[in-house]
Amino acid sequence: ETLYNTIKYMPEKIKINVHYIGDHAEFVKRVGRLDNAVYTGYLNKEELNDYLTHNIDALYLSLNSEYLGYCLPSKLFAYIGYSLPIIGYLPKGDASDIILNNKFGVVARLGEISQLKNQIVKMLNPKFYNYCIKNLKQKREKFEQSNTLNDLIVLLNERSN
């Protein structure tokens, strides 16, 4: 809903299309449809990969509680794998640190709607946008789940000895 409300009140000169992937019936019933939104419904993994590759410029990631600040949603790692810049609406913590420290996109702090609007506008700058893509392509292998799982196994083995 935060993204919906942010996009809904963007200045008219800024044209942004939002793609809602998945079941959106309850959401639309609650808040209505955006004129500049596409509602895809559910997509299987193959359809999702194809859809993101051909239709999406950036991905939105949010966690709705300060309590979740130090959670790392698996979606973050999937987003990095797509090499599409990330627009985060997140509490202070590990997910926002990964995005900001690696320059994978932008982050607005949870509760800061005007900051989210500004960060979306920042992502519209072609130079910044391409810089994020370059960083994602250079570093994405480091964040593949198989690599992070191997790092965890090594760490657990070290601690158990």
Side-chain angles (χ1 to χ4, degrees):
E1 269 179 60
T2 303
L3 181 61
Y4 172 92
N5 288 325
T6 303
I7 298 299
K8 187 175 178 179
Y9 297 107
M10 287 293 249
E12 281 189 34
K13 66 180 180 173
I14 298 175
K15 299 293 181 204
I16 297 173
N17 292 319
V18 179
H19 297 250
Y20 288 97
I21 298 170
D23 183 9
H24 60 274
E26 286 298 316
F27 175 77
V28 170
K29 208 182 289 184
R30 195 170 58 251
V31 298
R33 285 184 175 265
L34 270 176
D35 291 336
N36 54 333
V38 175
Y39 301 90
T40 66
Y42 173 78
L43 300 175
N44 67 36
K45 187 174 181 172
E46 186 178 304
E47 293 168 329
L48 178 64
N49 288 335
D50 185 59
Y51 191 83
L52 293 177
T53 303
H54 294 97
N55 299 289
I56 305 298
D57 296 318
L59 299 164
Y60 178 72
L61 178 68
S62 67
L63 294 172
N64 62 1
S65 168
E66 289 294 334
Y67 174 76
L68 298 172
Y70 292 95
C71 293
L72 279 173
S74 61
K75 188 181 283 190
L76 172 62
F77 297 102
Y79 283 10
I80 291 168
Y82 287 118
S83 293
L84 290 169
I86 300 164
I87 298 169
Y89 184 66
L90 303 164
K92 184 172 174 39
D94 293 337
S96 62
D97 288 349
I98 287 172
I99 295 166
L100 294 173
N101 293 343
N102 291 284
K103 302 188 179 25
F104 290 160
V106 294
V107 173
R109 293 285 170 233
L110 196 60
E112 299 290 333
I113 301 289
S114 63
Q115 189 181 47
L116 179 58
K117 198 184 280 189
N118 293 338
Q119 297 295 42
I120 291 170
V121 170
K122 182 178 182 178
M123 190 59 72
L124 296 173
N125 176 312
K127 187 175 181 179
F128 179 76
Y129 177 83
N130 290 323
Y131 178 67
C132 293
I133 289 176
K134 179 182 152 209
N135 290 328
L136 283 154
K137 287 181 177 178
Q138 287 177 345
K139 299 177 184 180
R140 74 177 167 200
E141 190 175 300
K142 175 183 171 185
F143 291 93
E144 288 177 359
Q145 287 180 337
S146 60
N147 289 335
T148 56
L149 182 59
N150 289 337
D151 290 346
L152 179 61
I153 291 169
V154 168
L155 179 66
L156 292 172
N157 284 334
E158 287 173 358
R159 298 235 169 140
S160 67
N161 293 329

